Amino acid sequence: MKLTEEEHWYYLNQEKGFQGELQFDVLTEKIQRDCHILNDLQLESNKSSFQLDTSLIFQDTYSLFEVKNFEGEYVYDSEYFKTLGGKDLPNPLDQIKRSKLLLSQLLKSLGSKLTVEAYVIFINPQFTLYQTPPNLPFILPTQIDRFMQKLEQKPSRLNQAHKNLADKLISLHQVEPPKIQLPTYTFESVKKGMTCCKCDSFSVTISGWKLICGECGCDELVTSAVMRNVEEFKLLFPERKITTNIIHEWCGVVDSRKRISRILGKNLKIKGVHQWTYYE
Ligand SMILES: [Zn+2]
């Protein structure tokens, strides 16, 4: 579907934020020092919920990281990061102060004595922040390498208590869906048709067993392409039943209804009979 300009901007931001987190994950995975790495925790403390992008549990410290993939030139201000173009961003300092406080309370209630350290990682090499006070817990792109080396020097003798704490936090993780603003959509309002698994193009055609992309040339088995689209359908319309007709319409490019029905029958459980058949 066509997004409004605002929705599109929001979408790009979400996508960018996610890419930033993945980039930081690559860095934390390289850490040789013994530590427990926890990604994307959604926790609650004093009835307030908070989200931690990345947590590293070391011997004496709990280091939490908020990852920002901001790009371009900004001027520091205690409330906002200001641009010349007028697209100001909230100062993430408030966010990590809050997370740090709530996490400290939670750790205390769990009997942990770890000191909480909180940092904002600005992962994008194209980010500049003018007039940044030097004593802030900000790690700018040019400081990341040295910061990661510093983490390698932390005292790090982990014991069962650290492991138990990590397990406990994972068990407290709330799997509620993240609070993102979805544009309103209906089955009728969105474009039907399969897309390429590599480049998301709608210019795909079927040739025998394969789905072939006219943009990038990538090919995929029709069966796996249909099942990929079933997953997409389930994510977008969790309340709707999966039937041959609806998946046939959803996939668009597959001519034969029978073929869809065979693929669904092979990969899912058949429920109901005759015209009331659906799949789970
Ligand atoms: Zn493609």
Side-chain angles (χ1 to χ4, degrees), residues 143-155:
Q143 301 172 310
I144 292 178
D145 280 353
R146 204 152 16 109
F147 181 78
M148 296 311 288
Q149 285 163 17
K150 255 179 150 175
L151 290 183
E152 293 285 3
Q153 283 144 25
K154 273 183 173 291

Side-chain angles (χ1 to χ4, degrees), residues 196 198-199 213 215-216 218:
C196 169
K198 280 255 168 65
C199 75
C213 175
E215 286 294 325
C216 74
C218 153

